[in-house]
Amino acid sequence: MESQIQQIHQQLVDKKISCVDLIQEKLNALKENTHNTVNALLSEFALEKAINVDAKIANGETIGLLEGIPFGVKDVYMLQGTYATASSDLLKNYKSPYTATAIQKLLNAGAIPIVKENCDSFGHGSSSENTIFGAVKNAVNPELVGGGSSGGSAVNVAKDYTVFSIGGDTGGSVRQPAGYNNVYGLKPTYGRISRYGLMAYASSTDCVGPLAKSVEDIRIVLNAMSGKDTKDQTTYTSEVIEESSILNATNIKTIGYFKNFIESEAIDAQIKEDFLASIEKIKAKGIQVKELDFFKSDILVSTYYTLAMAETASNLSRLDGTNYGDRIDDKDLKESYAITRSEKFSEETKRRIVGGNQVLSQGFSDEIYLKGLALRDAISENFEKDFEAVDIILSPVTPSTPPKIGDSLKDPLAMYLSDAYTVGFSLGQLPTLTVPQGTQTGLQVTAAKNNDELVLKFANFLKDTI
């Protein structure tokens, strides 16, 4: 698909559409949608911005490529003056006192946020069912989950309610819902985009990530959000990725895939068959394909959740109803803390906090948490060796197809295992992109650290290959 951003930009410049009409059309569609993707519409804010864009065009002023383009924001980002609920009961009345760096950069470029999007509460889930706003329904089949935790963001893009959306990816929360809804979803290299203003889940793997319907739109939005930020010391200066640079993939000679991912008993037979068929089509283009050995998927999942739960227990300790969120008063301060967190957190969030506190507790931290840290280092070293042998790693996004709404809530372990093919790349802090091709839930394209351009380049190559 051609770039929607470029297409709409040209229509605005040529005065074939007005920005106000465009924004109103998207707002109306969001208001009427039945997929539970909306936590809050930003109607007044968005229309005010649209009026300004139309005025600039009427005055003959030049507008930027993103100016007037409507986008969605996962409801874990700060946008000053708007609700930032994290789809949780605890923060359902909380308003952002400031704006996240990534969102501010899009505002500076003239893009217009129109909706705060439904997600798993605090990013805790793989289905967008752990939310006070009702389960997000899949864009293709509303009986199935929308994926998570950025389910609302993925569905809004798939249904054309937004031109692009900004999700958050900790262990696959952009890539998996992108695969479930047949859109592109990028987890950039850790640190390429500032996390300032993103509610922390697991700080060592949290990434800001765009979802869109084309590689070109992913590139445009990635460039707009990237860069060093003094408010986030993990960020670094990155070069702009030019459109021309991702159109030629001749420098990609070798790709690899993890043999144990494909030979796993957990993988759906059709996903396996489709993945191997995609590999054959790539071989037919003259690219060498290598089988790689990697950690077993259950080791990846247990390592990721050990570290992620520990970090979320620490990050959410500030949410006690005193400084943030709704408070339930009881007989004393200690009981007020306890009942507030017990009543206001979702079952999944409480499960992760309890697990994290267990991992960090005396007598367990050396045995479990420190071992998890050592495994993460080993995983990163393994990736470094792999990328000495191949340019790109290709993998399925998920081992199975989207479950029916309600099934994941009955079996949390199955939900964790659905992340088996995404969490390893998060632990390695690598750039990885879901492309809506190759299997029912897409393919995952991964490159070495800071090689985001190569990921987009290969994704473009795949458009005409499979």
Side-chain angles (χ1 to χ4, degrees):
M1 175 180 282
E2 296 300 316
S3 166
Q4 286 192 65
I5 291 173
Q6 291 181 345
Q7 182 183 39
I8 292 170
H9 171 74
Q10 199 58 51
Q11 289 174 329
L12 288 169
V13 170
D14 294 341
K15 300 181 181 178
K16 291 181 178 178
I17 60 172
S18 78
C19 191
V20 167
D21 288 346
L22 170 66
I23 297 298
Q24 191 63 65
E25 177 189 332
K26 297 295 186 185
L27 288 169
N28 290 343
L30 284 163
K31 190 174 183 179
E32 295 165 8
N33 103 84
T34 57
H35 288 262
N36 289 339
T37 62
V38 177
N39 285 5
L41 288 178
L42 310 177
S43 304
E44 187 176 336
F45 180 91
L47 289 169
E48 184 180 322
K49 297 283 186 185
I51 290 169
N52 293 336
V53 173
D54 282 337
K56 286 183 71 173
I57 294 169
N59 291 334
E61 297 178 45
T62 301
I63 63 167
L65 185 57
L66 280 169
E67 207 155 349
I69 304 297
F71 72 99
V73 181
K74 182 179 179 180
D75 202 10
V76 290
Y77 287 94
M78 298 294 135
L79 176 57
Q80 189 171 22
T82 69
Y83 286 104
T85 72
S87 295
S88 72
D89 195 30
L90 185 66
L91 295 180
K92 64 184 177 183
N93 296 312
Y94 180 72
K95 281 193 174 182
S96 308
Y98 63 96
T99 298
T101 297
I103 306 304
Q104 187 60 56
K105 287 189 171 188
L106 292 170
L107 291 173
N108 294 345
I112 301 177
I114 59 174
V115 58
K116 297 298 288 291
E117 296 168 320
N118 199 0
C119 57
D120 284 301
S121 179
F122 295 106
H124 298 158
S126 304
S127 64
S128 292
E129 293 174 280
N130 300 294
T131 162
I132 62 169
F133 296 99
V136 174
K137 299 177 182 178
N138 190 283
V140 180
N141 180 352
E143 292 185 0
L144 306 179
V145 301
S149 61
S150 307
S153 303
V155 172
N156 280 342
V157 169
K159 300 294 288 184
D160 289 317
Y161 299 145
T162 60
V163 175
F164 66 91
S165 285
I166 305 305
D169 192 306
T170 304
S173 290
V174 163
R175 291 163 285 155
Q176 184 249 42
Y180 279 4
N181 294 282
N182 299 325
V183 298
Y184 289 90
L186 174 70
K187 185 200 83 64
T189 299
Y190 180 81
R192 185 183 181 99
I193 303 174
S194 172
R195 292 178 293 111
Y196 180 75
L198 164 64
M199 292 187 197
Y201 166 14
S203 305
S204 66
T205 58
D206 284 346
C207 288
V208 178
L211 299 102
K213 279 193 165 181
S214 71
V215 179
E216 178 60 9
D217 286 349
I218 293 287
R219 181 193 70 84
I220 292 168
V221 178
L222 175 65
N223 280 337
M225 294 191 295
S226 296
K228 190 165 181 60
D229 180 16
T230 56
K231 297 171 183 172
D232 178 359
Q233 295 303 308
T234 65
T235 55
Y236 61 91
T237 302
S238 55
E239 293 184 7
V240 170
I241 300 173
E242 301 292 345
E243 181 179 3
S244 57
S245 69
I246 68 169
L247 297 179
N248 187 346
T250 54
N251 62 329
I252 298 175
K253 306 294 185 183
T254 309
I255 72 160
Y257 71 92
F258 294 127
K259 184 171 57 177
N260 55 311
F261 278 15
I262 306 308
E263 294 176 352
S264 168
E265 293 180 2
I267 192 170
D268 178 88
Q270 191 62 53
I271 288 179
K272 178 179 179 178
E273 182 181 329
D274 291 345
F275 178 81
L276 292 174
S278 298
I279 289 292
E280 291 305 313
K281 291 176 183 177
I282 292 167
K283 283 182 181 177
K285 290 287 186 177
I287 291 180
Q288 185 181 0
V289 177
K290 292 184 178 181
E291 290 183 347
L292 304 170
D293 291 317
F294 198 51
F295 290 81
K296 291 181 180 179
S297 55
D298 59 345
I299 293 176
L300 296 176
V301 171
S302 59
T303 301
Y304 167 76
Y305 275 104
T306 293
L307 300 178
M309 286 184 178
E311 291 186 36
T312 203
S314 175
N315 281 326
L316 293 188
S317 61
R318 76 194 76 176
L319 299 181
D320 54 23
T322 301
N323 294 312
Y324 307 100
D326 292 343
R327 176 172 177 166
I328 300 175
D329 288 315
D330 208 332
K331 58 185 179 183
D332 57 37
L333 189 60
K334 183 178 179 181
E335 289 301 315
S336 293
Y337 285 170
I339 194 168
T340 296
R341 289 167 66 83
S342 177
E343 295 293 325
K344 295 291 185 176
F345 280 137
S346 71
E347 290 303 309
E348 183 57 38
T349 294
K350 285 187 283 188
R351 187 179 293 117
R352 296 188 187 205
I353 291 172
V354 169
N357 284 329
Q358 176 78 359
V359 163
L360 294 172
S361 63
Q362 188 174 3
F364 288 92
S365 59
D366 288 355
E367 183 66 26
I368 303 175
Y369 181 66
L370 295 182
K371 186 176 181 181
L373 291 176
L375 275 168
R376 181 170 67 183
D377 290 343
I379 288 165
S380 295
E381 289 171 8
N382 203 107
F383 278 129
E384 288 176 9
K385 292 175 183 175
D386 287 335
F387 285 116
E388 290 173 3
V390 301
D391 301 309
I392 289 287
I393 293 174
L394 197 66
S395 60
V397 180
T398 63
S400 55
T401 54
K404 285 188 175 181
I405 290 174
D407 287 356
S408 293
L409 297 179
K410 298 172 189 173
D411 189 353
L413 180 59
M415 178 184 70
Y416 299 157
L417 292 174
S418 73
D419 297 334
Y421 297 167
T422 56
V423 294
F425 303 121
S426 295
L427 291 168
Q429 301 185 336
L430 305 176
T432 179
L433 172 72
T434 289
V435 300
Q437 295 171 273
T439 78
Q440 187 176 333
T441 57
L443 295 171
Q444 203 171 191
V445 179
T446 306
K449 274 186 183 181
N450 307 324
N451 243 333
D452 304 62
E453 180 181 301
L454 200 64
V455 167
L456 300 183
K457 191 175 287 195
F458 194 71
N460 252 333
F461 165 80
L462 289 179
K463 286 194 301 184
D464 303 318
T465 303
I466 57 176

